[in-house]
Amino acid sequence: MKISEQVVFGGSKLDRAAQLRADAEKLEALRSKGDILPIWRGKVLVHEDARGAALRLDCGHPFLENSTGEYLFLGLEGDRAIFATDVSLWEPEQQDLATVGDNFDASEQACPPCGEGAILAELRAIMSVLDPRSAELLSTAKALLNWHASHKFCAKCGAPSVMAMGGWQRNCPACSAPHFPRTDPVVIMLVTRGNKLLIGRSPFWPEGMYSTLAGFVEPGEPIEAAVRREVFEETAIRVGRVDYLASQPWAFPSSLMIGCHGFAENEDIVIDPVEIEDARWVTREEMAAIVAGENAEIYAPRVGSIAHFMIVNWLADKLE
């Protein structure tokens, strides 16, 4: 797609300055004068009246006393460096934390140490209003922190590993094995047959939410084969031609969504109840009403997701 890089998290041409990652002394000097993005239990810091931009802190900000001490180097804006750190040690007072960490957490926490109006919000809840640079930075920070949290031990010998390369590597002091951030490829498919679109839902989603089908790419599997396999496994629909459309980094926790257009060869759906709860064909007109919020039973995938991006561009005949 000619507009593929307009996908949320799709990139703001950030200078990641990978050449600096091995220079720990240089990174420390940059951090002392740079911007810090605090991530709290997976949530990001913004202002309640300006949710489109990530709030950045100076290195000496008191709130960073809640940091784990590990700072991830995200890149440069001119001569100013940008880092991220986990501040989950902070304990909010008298705030509801019951849904924090849930898959569809809509709660927000006020963050008084960061100023009046500062809030901590779930990234998916605000992704559609974020400016491109904030979206790329926050998505990258969240994905890296997710990886560090789940890969604290060497996969080769089991010894504790340590962060290196500005957060883009972990090394094992015991056996010297290096470990690198993990990204899981996922195909997400806009499957059509003439004027109809195939949509489905997981039993774990909010009631009424439908989206395009998706699934993980298996080892040794081409993208096109993954599209055909996943669609057939979930719905018994056979896909012939497969076109690549766009991609979206998806830090929930560590995926790369690979958007494809699949052309169905049959229409009879037989769902696998282990995989999905329901699947159905909808016409272009029906999908337009769903996206517009005019269907009382079905609502579209979240604005900002690649599924929503592909659907609205299919409706507008902008897939080429």
Side-chain angles (χ1 to χ4, degrees):
M1 294 176 69
K2 295 179 181 178
I3 57 172
S4 62
E5 291 190 8
Q6 294 179 15
V7 182
V8 174
F9 309 134
S12 64
K13 298 180 174 60
L14 172 69
D15 178 7
R16 299 196 171 203
Q19 72 279 6
L20 300 178
R21 293 173 184 171
D23 191 338
E25 185 175 336
K26 176 68 172 178
L27 290 184
E28 183 60 27
L30 287 170
R31 185 172 70 88
S32 67
K33 300 178 182 178
D35 294 333
I36 313 296
L37 299 178
I39 307 294
W40 179 81
R41 302 180 190 179
K43 295 195 171 189
V44 300
L45 185 68
V46 294
H47 193 279
E48 60 183 354
D49 295 329
R51 295 165 186 256
L55 284 182
R56 307 180 183 190
L57 305 180
D58 293 331
C59 181
H61 196 286
F63 188 59
L64 297 178
E65 293 176 3
N66 298 287
S67 169
T68 58
E70 293 184 336
Y71 287 82
L72 315 180
F73 175 59
L74 303 180
L76 295 174
E77 286 183 342
D79 294 330
R80 194 167 182 86
I82 308 163
F83 293 78
T85 191
D86 187 342
V87 291
S88 296
L89 297 176
W90 181 63
E91 292 290 344
E93 296 181 1
Q94 299 179 336
Q95 297 196 55
D96 183 9
L97 307 182
T99 61
V100 173
D102 289 356
N103 194 33
F104 291 93
D105 175 23
S107 71
E108 296 176 349
Q109 285 69 45
C111 190
C114 295
E116 184 177 355
I119 60 169
L120 293 154
E122 165 60 39
L123 182 55
R124 278 172 290 193
I126 62 170
M127 63 182 178
S128 64
V129 300
L130 285 171
D131 65 73
R133 177 53 50 81
S134 292
E136 181 174 2
L137 287 170
L138 293 173
S139 175
T140 302
K142 185 174 171 67
L144 276 178
L145 287 171
N146 286 337
W147 175 70
H148 282 287
S150 60
H151 290 75
K152 293 184 178 298
F153 297 90
C154 176
K156 185 176 181 181
C157 75
S161 59
V162 295
M163 193 184 87
M165 296 291 287
W168 293 88
Q169 189 170 321
R170 293 189 73 87
N171 293 332
C172 178
C175 71
S176 300
H179 304 281
F180 304 94
R182 171 175 174 168
T183 297
D184 299 316
V186 177
V187 285
I188 182 164
M189 295 75 73
L190 186 87
V191 178
T192 63
R193 184 165 171 82
N195 193 48
K196 297 179 180 178
L197 173 67
L198 181 63
I199 58 174
R201 61 169 276 105
S202 164
F204 306 107
W205 291 354
E207 189 65 30
M209 178 180 174
Y210 279 74
S211 185
T212 54
L213 304 185
F216 289 99
V217 180
E218 295 183 343
E221 185 176 45
I223 291 171
E224 296 83 356
V227 168
R228 298 184 181 108
R229 175 184 55 78
E230 283 289 341
V231 174
F232 185 77
E233 286 177 356
E234 295 182 355
T235 64
I237 298 297
R238 295 192 178 278
V239 172
R241 173 181 160 188
V242 175
D243 293 340
Y244 169 77
L245 295 178
S247 64
Q248 181 180 49
W250 194 247
F252 310 100
S254 56
S255 298
L256 175 65
M257 309 300 289
I258 304 167
C260 297
H261 185 189
F263 294 80
E265 297 181 335
N266 64 302
E267 292 186 19
D268 294 333
I269 296 172
V270 181
I271 67 166
D272 179 350
V274 175
E275 295 277 346
I276 58 175
E277 181 180 88
D278 186 35
R280 61 182 69 181
W281 291 101
V282 293
T283 65
R284 186 183 295 265
E285 293 74 21
E286 289 170 333
M287 194 69 233
I290 291 169
V291 169
E294 298 171 356
N295 189 303
E297 298 181 356
I298 300 175
Y299 65 89
R302 195 190 298 265
V303 177
S305 67
I306 191 172
H308 190 276
F309 177 84
M310 293 191 298
I311 288 171
V312 297
N313 281 286
W314 174 68
L315 292 174
D317 288 323
K318 292 183 178 179
L319 293 185
E320 298 300 328

